[in-house]
Amino acid sequence: MVVDEVAEIITMPDYEACVSDTNPDTSAPTVSDVAMKQLHDYVAVIARLYRNNPFHNFEHASHVTMSVSKLLSRIVAPREEQGDEKSQEAFLHDHTYGITSDPLTQFAVVLSALIHDVDHRGVPNFVLCKEDLNLAAVYREKSVAEQNSVDLAWNALMDPTFDDLRRCIYGDESEMKRFRQLLVNSVMATDIFDKELGILRKKRWDKAFQ
């Protein structure tokens, strides 16, 4: 059950100056043409999994994806200079809770935006549970549309035709698990009508920032 995978805490990697993209001793990693082609093909697969709804369609998903990408690009460092104790990159890492120096998190959030309404039927979950009893039973009548979206998009990504793409996303099992955690948490957070999930999100927020 996808909803059972929602985690209270997702551990972010520590800051490593040696892999900073502003370090002159390192070069940016390159993505092969094969992987780029597979990414293009995967997005096409996702597009075909969307239904022709008036709102919850691929155009909507594209708008959300562009908005998320823009928001991520606006996570910038404060203008004041930092002391010698920390480099600007290290400070920015802490200031954004590790997001700016973790490409895996950034990619997972953008991908979540792209897939969050895959196969959406155009109706809210309480109506979907009445219209599709089998699907409702599979997901225990809880966040049915969101769980279904995660399963379909994840299964598509696991297809052997996307081997090179997956190798670009994560390098080992631990990174794969963190990638899935980020994906699951992000997509499940789009179910704003589930009271239990909403309470859990509010508790996490209070615990983290109060």
Side-chain angles (χ1 to χ4, degrees), residues 134-166:
N134 291 331
L135 193 65
V138 168
Y139 296 117
R140 300 198 305 256
E141 298 187 7
K142 187 173 182 64
S143 301
V144 177
E146 292 76 15
Q147 293 195 78
N148 182 52
S149 294
V150 171
D151 274 341
L152 290 175
W154 184 265
N155 290 339
L157 183 61
M158 292 301 109
D159 191 277
T161 57
F162 300 123
D163 285 346
D164 293 271
L165 173 59
R166 291 197 302 275

Side-chain angles (χ1 to χ4, degrees), residues 21-34:
D21 58 6
T22 60
N23 190 328
D25 297 328
T26 61
S27 58
T30 57
V31 179
S32 69
D33 292 340
V34 174

Side-chain angles (χ1 to χ4, degrees), residues 101-122:
S101 54
D102 183 32
L104 182 64
T105 296
Q106 296 175 36
F107 181 78
V109 172
V110 172
L111 184 62
S112 299
L114 186 72
I115 71 169
H116 80 280
D117 273 340
V118 160
D119 195 41
H120 201 287
R121 313 298 172 83

Side-chain angles (χ1 to χ4, degrees), residues 29-74:
T30 57
V31 179
S32 69
D33 292 340
V34 174
M36 287 298 295
K37 174 66 166 57
Q38 290 182 10
L39 176 60
H40 183 277
D41 292 344
Y42 179 71
V43 173
V45 168
I46 293 299
R48 289 193 294 270
L49 288 173
Y50 272 85
R51 300 191 178 215
N52 189 26
N53 302 312
F55 179 71
H56 295 282
N57 49 39
F58 187 66
E59 184 179 9
H60 161 68
S62 300
H63 289 164
V64 174
T65 302
M66 289 187 288
S67 298
V68 167
S69 181
K70 182 65 174 179
L71 288 171
L72 284 173
S73 72
R74 294 182 65 83

